[in-house]
Amino acid sequence: VHGSHIINGDKAPVNSMQYMVSVQSNGRHACGGFLISEDFVVTAAHCNTKPNLVVVGNQNIKSSNVKKINIQYSCVFPTFRKVGLGNDIMLLKKVSMSNAVKTIQIPNSDRTLTENICMVAGWGKTESNNYGDDLRVAKVSIINSKVCQREWDNTLPPNVICAGGYETTKGFCQGDSGGPLVCNGEAVGIVSFNRNSNCTYPNAPNIYTDVSIYHQ
């Protein structure tokens, strides 16, 4: 059920979204993530598969000029149990900052989400069912929480945002987990899960962890 790839998205413009990182285990892309400060990356808690480095500095993660930075430690939200039950958020402390990358703001806890169209990006599978080396991005619509709960048979945990995957051909899939839902220049959500790993959209709404709940 994990979020995995960008479906029907486009290749990200050059030098855009420089806050994006590839969270890797043993040299392989595992999840997306995003820089919120010089030292810290936010990603999904279900990405805690012993990640040992993050790759930054280029939208092509196989490029010769990427920076591979070791992870010092990870901090999973204490009450996270498994994907689908909520609190799917993790902080990674990395070693150093690359001058080629930037950070992204996260919203305060009192923020009200008013945007209709936001963006999601990642290096996961595409509609051709292949993993890509190039960062891809798709525009997705925010879905009303009551509509979203209805489409998920009232099984969703609290503190989530719904966007994409429903009444549209665009959304995320395997490999995109941990990446940000970006609205008006802020990372408001974290790619968490979709229904039964089915990335043939339209389907049920895609689910993101609501970042603002965890920002004090």
Side-chain angles (χ1 to χ4, degrees):
V1 296
H2 303 180
S4 48
H5 53 273
I6 298 299
I7 302 300
N8 290 319
D10 299 308
K11 188 175 176 180
V14 175
N15 296 325
S16 67
M17 308 185 85
Q18 294 182 32
Y19 47 79
M20 289 290 300
V21 308
S22 168
V23 179
Q24 301 200 353
S25 298
N26 300 317
R28 294 185 177 184
H29 173 77
C31 283
F34 51 99
L35 285 159
I36 59 166
S37 73
E38 183 173 332
D39 298 314
F40 287 98
V41 170
V42 172
T43 186
H46 75 258
C47 295
N48 190 29
T49 55
K50 298 183 179 179
N52 62 331
L53 59 85
V54 295
V55 173
V56 302
N58 197 295
Q59 290 155 329
N60 185 306
I61 55 176
K62 295 293 180 63
S63 170
S64 60
N65 65 349
V66 296
K67 302 291 192 300
K68 296 182 178 181
I69 303 173
N70 289 331
I71 295 170
Q72 289 184 318
Y73 62 82
S74 59
C75 181
V76 175
F77 196 78
T79 57
F80 173 77
R81 294 295 175 264
K82 66 177 183 178
V83 67
L85 297 183
N87 298 318
D88 192 6
I89 183 171
M90 174 170 64
L91 272 179
L92 302 176
K93 172 70 167 63
K94 65 182 189 58
V95 173
S96 62
M97 183 70 172
S98 166
N99 292 331
V101 297
K102 298 179 181 179
T103 60
I104 187 169
Q105 295 291 317
I106 56 177
N108 293 321
S109 58
D110 59 353
R111 186 192 194 281
T112 300
L113 188 61
T114 58
E115 292 80 9
N116 290 322
I117 304 295
C118 301
M119 296 187 302
V120 60
W123 289 277
K125 289 182 179 180
T126 65
E127 57 275 9
S128 62
N129 207 37
N130 295 316
Y131 285 93
D133 297 331
D134 290 308
L135 182 67
R136 297 183 69 83
V137 59
K139 292 182 179 180
V140 292
S141 298
I142 300 297
I143 299 166
N144 176 274
S145 59
K146 291 182 179 180
V147 172
C148 191
Q149 280 285 5
R150 182 193 70 207
E151 293 300 315
W152 276 89
D153 301 321
N154 295 310
T155 60
L156 292 177
N159 306 332
V160 296
I161 297 171
C162 306
Y166 173 71
E167 294 187 344
T168 180
T169 59
K170 296 182 179 181
F172 62 63
C173 206
Q174 287 80 7
D176 294 327
S177 289
L181 176 67
V182 179
C183 303
N184 196 28
E186 289 185 321
V188 303
I190 304 166
V191 172
S192 186
F193 62 95
N194 60 3
R195 177 166 284 169
N196 300 325
S197 297
N198 180 4
C199 304
T200 302
Y201 299 128
N203 191 2
N206 291 170
I207 307 302
Y208 299 78
T209 302
D210 185 349
V211 174
S212 68
I213 302 300
Y214 305 91
H215 187 201
Q216 302 300 320

